[in-house]
Amino acid sequence: MENKDVFELIIDNAIEIFLAFDNDNCICKINEMAKKELQLDDNAIGTSIVFIFQNGDISELIFDGVAREMMIYRKNQTCFRALVKAIKTDSDVSPYVLMIRNISDQYALEKAAETAKMEVAANEQVKTEFVANVTHELRTPVNGILGNINILLENETDSGKIDALNTIKRSCNAMNELINGILDFSKLNAGKFTLEKRKFNFRKMVDFVKSTHMPRITEKGLEFFVTISPEIPEAVIGDELRITQILNNLLSNACKFTHVGKVSLEILMTAKEKNRIELFFIVLDTGIGIAKSDMDKLFKSFSQVDASVSRRYGGTGLGLNIAKQLVDLMGGHITVDSEPNKGTMFSFSIWVESVDEENDIKLTENKYAKNIREAFETDEELSKAYEYGSKDNISEMKTHMSKLILCLEMDNWEKAEMFADSIKRLTSQAPKDIKVLALKLKMAVQKADYDQSVEKYNELKKICDL
């Protein structure tokens, strides 16, 4: 078979439309796909090519071999979207060639995908606005209950009623925190969240955060350390409320998941560029820790490490997701380092504006986090606190047992449950009978059963020789 015959065979069996025409715009060659797509036959040879263009004008064709999107018309005047490549040859018989590919199906799929994407976005917007409206509406009755509770507390003298009212008040505050979390999450995901930058006293903000968490942390028998680098200026410009929100979330988690040892907050200045400074925060605890396989769940919305965490400690799983998005908005990033039973370290950076403009400086970067982490990991007292029967373990047991019995006598069951849980963890390496007794003590406290709680307390105190 000659080369010319091979060429003709390829053209006739091509999956694209092949159409050649001369200087008079008359068709001189078509292939089988042209006959099929354009509804032509051999009688089309010698007829004008202009019918395949809507306006009958082929002057817009550019013969540079570059494919362009155009509308192509069939003989019956129906049309389809196509990629058209026009080239000029050296042949006197067919000096012009069009190669046409029908892309109408591909175009339809792209339009359908775009439409579907727009519908999903619209539905998401409706859902987000609905959640935002509902949370706003929920605030009104909750705040109404809180207002009336505060009025009743001012005039109430009966201790039983005061305890009941305080329980309702705590529940309303918890509901408000949940509502605020859902509202922030909705705004962040809808892209409607904006930071409110204002001048504020940085150290006073940290003092407020410290005073907020100090009672809860010290009640659990934990040590609480807060340090601020002296390089950080007194006044900065940023969103004070949202920085506080991030710190509150991380410190609340640190307190919640730590039963023995320490919680610390370290704040450093790691960079300065003109009037912008980078602040680096480290929240470190000696709590239950997190397995590496569960790290990827931490910053996802509505996610807990596992179901037992949600049942035991509560929470919606929104806090860390919101914190991450807030940190991102402030130009920083957040990371976590943790091991089971060895504590957790959250660190994050944000950018704020300094009131005083000074020369650019670069400070030592985040080696501080590593140093603090190593200090906790080499703390022998902490590791021995979990070693049942050790001096530190006995000391921690005595401290928590004394606080537990005091809470039982004062009928403070919320705090009693907290200390009972700490005692259970302090006996995690004890013989089986002691671990079972510690568990029974915790269950009795959870049921607010005074007689059973005191009985199990005395049994545990006796068997542990405390």
Side-chain angles (χ1 to χ4, degrees), residues 438-457:
L439 176 61
K440 289 181 178 179
L441 171 61
K442 181 183 175 182
M443 293 173 64
V445 172
Q446 285 177 327
K447 295 177 182 177
D449 188 327
Y450 176 81
D451 294 334
Q452 277 290 317
S453 297
V454 172
E455 180 183 339
K456 299 305 175 187
Y457 166 85

Side-chain angles (χ1 to χ4, degrees), residues 180-228:
N180 290 335
I182 294 174
L183 187 59
D184 286 345
F185 176 77
S186 299
K187 287 182 177 178
L188 285 163
N189 280 274
K192 294 184 176 180
F193 193 96
T194 56
L195 297 174
E196 296 183 7
K197 296 182 179 181
R198 297 178 182 175
K199 179 181 174 181
F200 66 95
N201 188 300
F202 185 79
R203 282 172 173 76
K204 285 185 178 180
M205 180 209 73
V206 176
D207 287 341
F208 173 75
V209 172
K210 180 180 178 180
S211 64
T212 300
H213 295 275
M214 179 68 81
R216 176 72 171 170
I217 292 175
T218 53
E219 280 172 7
K220 294 187 73 172
L222 305 173
E223 294 180 89
F224 187 26
F225 301 99
V226 177
T227 56
I228 305 175

